[in-house]
Amino acid sequence: MTRHLLTLDSLGREGILANLALARDLKARKGMAQAALPGGRVGLIFDKPSTRTRVSFEAAAWGLGMLPITLRHDELQLGRGETIADTARVLSRYLTALAIRTFDQSRVEELARYATIPIINALTDDHHPCQALADVMSLQEEFGELAGLRVAFIGDGNNVCHSLIQAAGYLGFTLAISTPEGYEPKPEIVEAARVNCRTNGGSIELGRDVRAAVRGADAVYTDVWASMGQEKEREERAYVFAGYCVNTELMALAAPRAIFLHCLPAHRGDEVTDEVMDGPQSRVWDEAENRWYTEQALLYTLVTGREQLEPAG
Ligand code: CP
Ligand code: NVA
């Protein structure tokens, strides 16, 4: 059966831990993976803009000896009505793996249904699993053990929040989420993670009070108030989310060792202040760098089925 990364459910607890272990190994090698997949070809389709995902995947592919082929939606016949199924069938004949950033989660799932190569979700409206892998790698670098940590998520119950919820369920940390009313994460994602927490530990807390979520937290995480595709709601959201800015006063309620994380891009002055972004607790640049290694590990494992680097051949 072809392996994919559609949401973090595709990896589960063992798959996530294996990804993190290989990513640490690759980081120690600075992403130079001795061309582990020479001749491989990874397609990267972007229906939405990207800085980190595009460049980190391209860098990761190059270190593995793969050719990255990046395509915007309007460069493909998909944009002129060719079906997802036919696109999947054709691209499977040329490529070794395909990552796609798009709107509806069902598009990624449909690609995976018809492709004979691994399909990677590079962000949808509902999930951002590649981001969550880099996030948990950053937590692991800082604290070692993930189980027992308290992470506060402040803001919109969006794609990034959903993937962090899944990560918390599999890795057994507490995710305390504070959102305005009407912007909560999807209940079915919360419930499924709570079931996993029964086995793995941790919990998913939901509330409105940002201070209650942050109090004693080991990490404070936030993301933009209006995600890609929600530009028309920006003004309304700026009003609704006004009390959800991570500033130094809020960070002071977290544990003394607490770090600040953000998937980026950040809207400085909205969901986070300059002082926090550029302050001593911020780990956002390391977090962004970790995209490279977690994605490199992902490409390697999805294509080869191996969880540790072995010479190509
Ligand atoms: N965090 C993230 O996915 O960034 P990009 O939108 O720049 O890829
Ligand atoms: N929630 C944001 C994440 C960007 C990486 C968005 O979807 O735009």
Side-chain angles (χ1 to χ4, degrees):
M1 207 174 81
T2 309
R3 295 169 290 268
H4 305 291
L5 176 68
L6 306 182
T7 75
L8 279 191
D9 285 338
S10 309
L11 295 179
R13 178 181 165 82
E14 296 313 318
I16 296 171
L17 290 173
N19 177 272
L20 297 178
L22 180 52
R24 283 197 301 276
D25 179 14
L26 290 162
K27 188 168 186 175
R29 299 166 191 251
K30 299 228 177 307
M32 297 311 298
Q34 298 155 319
L37 292 173
R41 299 150 318 269
V42 58
L44 304 164
I45 297 178
F46 287 94
D47 292 347
K48 298 177 178 178
S50 168
T51 297
R52 280 144 288 270
T53 306
R54 175 181 175 169
V55 179
S56 58
F57 261 111
E58 290 189 355
W62 188 81
L64 291 168
M66 299 178 91
L67 171 71
I69 302 172
T70 299
L71 296 153
R72 285 204 329 252
H73 184 250
D74 59 3
E75 293 172 327
L76 290 162
Q77 297 288 8
L78 249 182
R80 296 182 57 251
E82 187 167 18
T83 67
I84 291 180
D86 290 352
T87 304
R89 291 179 181 115
V90 171
L91 292 183
S92 294
R93 300 291 176 105
Y94 304 133
L95 300 173
T96 320
L98 174 63
I100 179 165
R101 165 168 290 192
T102 190
F103 293 86
D104 208 295
Q105 177 72 17
S106 65
R107 288 171 69 80
V108 180
E109 284 167 12
E110 196 177 346
L111 262 181
R113 208 159 32 250
Y114 295 98
T116 53
I117 55 173
I119 299 296
I120 297 169
N121 179 349
L123 181 149
T124 60
D125 292 344
D126 282 342
H127 291 274
H128 198 358
C130 294
Q131 180 65 49
L133 290 173
D135 299 340
V136 292
M137 181 177 182
S138 307
L139 289 170
Q140 208 179 44
E141 283 179 336
E142 191 70 28
F143 302 113
E145 188 58 45
L146 291 161
L149 290 180
R150 178 180 178 84
V151 179
F153 184 93
I154 306 301
D156 188 19
N158 61 14
N159 44 10
V160 168
C161 181
H162 287 157
S163 290
L164 278 175
I165 290 170
Q166 292 193 323
Y170 286 119
L171 300 177
F173 60 88
T174 291
L175 190 65
I177 301 162
S178 172
T179 70
E181 190 177 356
Y183 295 88
E184 298 86 357
K186 290 191 167 178
E188 61 272 25
I189 294 176
V190 173
E191 283 319 310
R194 283 179 171 158
V195 170
N196 287 331
C197 287
R198 276 185 226 140
T199 311
N200 301 320
S203 61
I204 312 297
E205 298 176 9
L206 299 179
R208 309 256 170 267
D209 185 347
V210 289
R211 299 167 75 87
V214 168
R215 202 162 283 126
D218 300 295
V220 180
Y221 199 116
T222 191
D223 184 15
V224 291
W225 294 337
S227 287
M228 291 179 277
Q230 297 172 334
E231 287 77 9
K232 285 197 185 122
E233 298 172 36
R234 224 183 140 185
E235 215 170 298
E236 183 192 336
R237 282 172 174 258
Y239 176 75
V240 173
F241 285 85
Y244 289 79
C245 175
V246 179
N247 53 28
T248 41
E249 188 205 344
L250 191 62
M251 282 302 291
L253 297 175
R257 65 173 186 167
I259 60 169
F260 172 74
L261 297 173
H262 190 310
C263 58
L264 306 179
H267 286 164
R268 289 167 176 256
D270 283 356
E271 76 275 5
V272 60
T273 59
D274 285 336
E275 288 81 4
V276 172
M277 271 285 283
D278 301 327
Q281 290 168 292
S282 176
R283 297 290 181 277
V284 298
W285 316 124
D286 299 310
E287 182 187 6
E289 181 184 344
N290 287 338
R291 296 289 305 273
W292 178 1
Y293 312 114
T294 44
E295 285 157 9
Q296 199 166 40
L298 185 71
L299 279 174
Y300 183 76
T301 301
L302 290 182
V303 171
T304 63
R306 298 188 206 124
E307 292 179 343
Q308 285 173 5
L309 276 185
E310 287 171 35

